[in-house]
Amino acid sequence: MTSTVQSLAATDNVPTGLFIGGDWVTGSSGGTLEHIFPGTGSPNATIEIAGEAEVDRAVESAWEAHREWISYTPEHRRDLLLNVADALRDDAERLGRLNTHDFGVPTMMSAAHAGLAEKFFRYYAGYVDKANGSSTPVADKFDVNLIEHEPYGVVGIIAPWNGPLVVVGLNVAPALAAGNAVILKPSEISPFTPLRFGELCVQAGLPVGLVNVLPSGPEGGEALVRHPGVKKIHFTGGGSTAQKIITAAAHNLTPVATELGGKSAALIFDDANLDVAAVTMSFQGPVGQSGQSCACSSRIFVQNTVYDAFMERFIGAVESAKIGDPFDPSTIVGPVVSQAATNRILGVIDRAVDEKAGELVTGGKRLGGDLASGYYLEPTVFSRVDNKSALAQIETFGPVVSVIPFADEAEAIALANDSVYGLNAFIQTQNVGRAHRVARKLEAGSVWVNRHSDLGPQSPYGGYKQSGAGRAGGIEGLHEFQQVKTIRIGMDF
Ligand code: NAD
């Protein structure tokens, strides 16, 4: 099902400068870039790109703001973070539209990203006046032994293009709650929502410079990672970029937390509600955000006794999702992010066909007609795929999934774990014993039973294996942005 792109909403005023120390900065050393709207393939703004000079300026401003931030009482900091949560709530519609301008995510999903960020701010605001350290006895003495959690000072948070507001919630909120100042480096592909967020932070009353927003590509990112004034890097993105960042961070031995890619397995057992499983996995798979999500269930394993019955429902759900203008509220599948991504994803499909990795049962093509100038790809499903194939092993980051049959629990677990990744896993079953048994054996940071990946601030989220080292959410997410200090006081003087 397709629709026409009619409503680019050219009247939306998108922010284009860098946001440093509460000021809009132009004329930056990294130059400018024409930002392309994926819905039409046409430019929608010229944006500033941060270079080394702007990173220097942001680091200086952030340290000043950090000193002010930690001079506030915990209650005051908590209330200011709650103000940010309120601002995210009140601005959700505009943030949603900016998110759509960023990378073409349909508006039916994009405002939800602001809602997610709001929830995380509310949750972490609650920690500011409650998070506490501990004291423990020490061997052979009666000393007082205090264990305290302190901020790093200034942290760099590097975001991928596919979820800048998600990173704002998952990482910026705990970083601020822990007492840090933040330099947020969004991708140059998704600058608009993070810039608006920076502005909202100042309007909410945070000290200017506490949140600086510097869209850039690899050069600006590397300048941030190498800067001696940045005491921790939190990176969300691809594994090959993580390798470069960890190498660059080694220069100053700066610690790096990573949230990386995935090839998440969904296990559909013969006792599952197949109607629910088909709809859930179509959205979690090739349909939601055109499969451009770290949590995409790109390998769907189905028990062979229900394989055909599942496939009929699944293909039906995938083919009925409306493709078109991401600003149309009824659109479910928008464009993929760029011409380069289009070429890459079509290359994955061609290779899978050439290598006979599986049978192409729906999709596989770029849409023409009214959608020809944008980057619209059909949600694509390959059936009876070889789990060893490139299609099933390499992250596609697009609307392409593999469906693979299995005989029993043991085979399902072995196939699911046969991947270098370990971000998410999904189980569809009505047998609670099986749900627990299988969940414990899956090598993944999050296992979702009869549910799509529904991020909440209370649950730590992150990867096993090459899907990263670090957690966002819960007390674990706060600890990512704290360093531990022991203070031991001798009592025998
Ligand atoms: P990417 O790795 O290309 O870029 C991520 C960020 O790193 C961008 O801001 C980019 O400008 C920056 N960057 C690139 N080179 C750099 C360098 N040398 N030094 C410093 N910064 C540099 O990833 P992407 O294409 O933006 O996002 C897609 C990837 O992100 C996928 O692999 C996806 O699975 C992953 N992802 C993971 C999660 C998670 O929570 N685990 C969430 C979203 C996306």
Side-chain angles (χ1 to χ4, degrees), residues 44-105:
N44 57 354
T46 302
I47 59 164
E48 296 284 333
I49 297 294
E52 213 171 313
E54 292 71 32
V55 170
D56 285 346
R57 182 168 162 185
V59 171
E60 198 178 315
S61 160
W63 274 107
E64 203 172 309
H66 162 69
R67 286 187 281 274
E68 185 176 345
W69 186 227
I70 55 167
S71 76
Y72 294 175
T73 63
E75 292 86 343
H76 188 35
R77 274 186 276 142
R78 175 202 62 202
D79 290 347
L80 290 176
L81 293 182
L82 288 172
N83 286 353
V84 177
D86 290 346
L88 286 164
R89 178 197 59 207
D90 297 345
D91 208 56
E93 195 189 332
R94 173 158 162 73
L95 284 165
R97 289 184 73 78
L98 291 176
N99 217 7
T100 302
H101 279 292
D102 276 328
F103 66 100
V105 59

Side-chain angles (χ1 to χ4, degrees), residues 133-138 143-149 484-489:
S134 55
S135 71
T136 68
V138 289
D143 293 1
V144 172
N145 192 45
L146 302 175
I147 299 162
E148 301 207 330
H149 300 279
V484 179
K485 177 180 280 177
T486 295
I487 304 172
R488 180 164 155 176
I489 304 170

